[in-house]
Amino acid sequence: AQSVTQLGSHVSVSEGALVLLRCNYSSSVPPYLFWYVQYPNQGLQLLLKYTTGATLVKGINGFEAEFKKSETSFHLTKPSAHMSDAAEYFCAVFRDDKIIFGKGTRLHILP
Amino acid sequence: DTAVSQTPKYLVTQMGNDKSIKCEQNLGHDTMYWYKQDSKKFLKIMFSYNNKELIINETVPNRFSPKSPDKAHLNLHINSLELGDSAVYFCASSHSGSYNSPLHFGNGTRLTVT
């Protein structure tokens, strides 16, 4: 069973606009959640993670995500998109001693 | 200083050949992984090692054989390569495989089987 579901395989936003990438997780998994980013021809790098504590998590490059248990969601946001944000974004969950990734969302930034 | 390094970066070979990919990390981590990323960017774990011991072995054909000579190195040997093995293979490492320790990825090895 899919542990995380990312809504939208491609998302396009204008430079300066709000970025919203959606992720829902299976309620059967512990809420250890992550967002990773993959720039072209590179490996993934961690943007942010939620394990315990504050439900609003701040990450690198101005990104943040909010853990909402009632909605089983962990959406990624950034107030103002920059051209350098164009990349593939992966939501992930820790389960069965491993990190399982969603299918990814390609973020396109329009000039 | 590269944290997780993989070689080679590109690998083009013919069906039926045997090839190896090497990975090294200098982060002092004790857990290392191989992930496979297909053409649709889907990323799936293949193996993980903790202190040279195999701890995760997903449903992977036995043509794939990982080997960890020490906790800083994890290699992947693939026998009798098939067209479907074409993908990008990522090595990663973390501390103790804990949920609190993020994965650090190499830049990948793009394998093309013709």
Side-chain angles (χ1 to χ4, degrees):
Chain A
Q2 186 71 27
S3 296
V4 289
T5 301
Q6 292 183 240
L7 301 177
S9 57
H10 291 265
V11 170
S12 296
V13 301
S14 297
E15 191 174 18
L18 171 72
V19 175
L20 171 61
L21 303 182
R22 300 177 187 272
C23 174
N24 288 90
Y25 66 92
S26 167
S27 59
S28 64
V29 302
Y32 302 138
L33 297 161
F34 310 83
W35 276 99
Y36 282 78
V37 61
Q38 183 180 25
Y39 298 105
N41 298 315
Q42 293 186 25
L44 284 69
Q45 63 184 85
L46 181 71
L47 272 179
L48 48 80
K49 66 178 181 180
Y50 171 79
T51 54
T52 59
T55 56
L56 182 62
V57 181
K58 294 187 184 298
I60 62 171
N61 302 338
F63 284 93
E64 60 183 36
E66 186 170 9
F67 170 68
K68 291 187 176 181
K69 187 175 180 179
S70 60
E71 299 178 5
T72 61
S73 69
F74 190 58
H75 301 333
L76 181 71
T77 60
K78 181 174 180 177
S80 177
H82 191 271
M83 295 300 289
S84 61
D85 295 326
E88 191 88 21
Y89 291 80
F90 293 89
C91 183
V93 64
F94 186 88
R95 191 189 80 176
D96 298 333
D97 297 324
K98 57 184 178 276
I99 292 180
I100 300 169
F101 290 90
K103 294 187 175 181
T105 298
R106 172 64 63 90
L107 177 63
H108 303 270
I109 309 297
L110 307 173
Chain B
D1 289 345
T2 303
V4 181
S5 60
Q6 299 179 226
T7 54
K9 187 173 176 64
Y10 299 97
L11 189 52
V12 181
T13 188
Q14 292 183 328
M15 286 174 53
N17 286 347
D18 303 338
K19 291 293 179 185
S20 292
I21 306 171
K22 296 187 175 184
C23 178
E24 175 181 6
Q25 55 94 6
N26 63 4
L27 296 167
H29 290 158
D30 56 7
T31 305
M32 296 185 72
Y33 309 79
W34 281 112
Y35 278 84
K36 179 181 180 180
Q37 186 173 48
D38 64 21
S39 58
K40 295 185 178 180
K41 299 290 188 180
F42 182 57
L43 202 65
K44 183 172 168 55
I45 190 169
M46 300 172 70
F47 305 102
S48 79
Y49 273 76
N50 177 269
N51 279 321
K52 303 192 295 177
E53 181 182 349
L54 180 67
I55 55 172
I56 292 175
N57 185 351
E58 294 292 291
T59 307
V60 176
N62 57 15
R63 299 182 294 104
F64 291 79
S65 53
K67 186 171 287 187
S68 181
D70 56 60
K71 68 177 187 179
H73 295 83
L74 179 62
N75 303 323
L76 183 65
H77 187 76
I78 316 170
N79 289 323
S80 303
L81 279 155
E82 300 178 357
L83 292 176
D85 298 333
S86 295
V88 181
Y89 292 85
F90 286 99
C91 177
S93 71
S94 73
H95 179 64
S96 297
S98 163
Y99 64 85
N100 244 336
S101 175
L103 293 173
H104 291 256
F105 283 82
N107 283 332
T109 296
R110 183 175 295 277
L111 171 65
T112 303
V113 183
T114 61

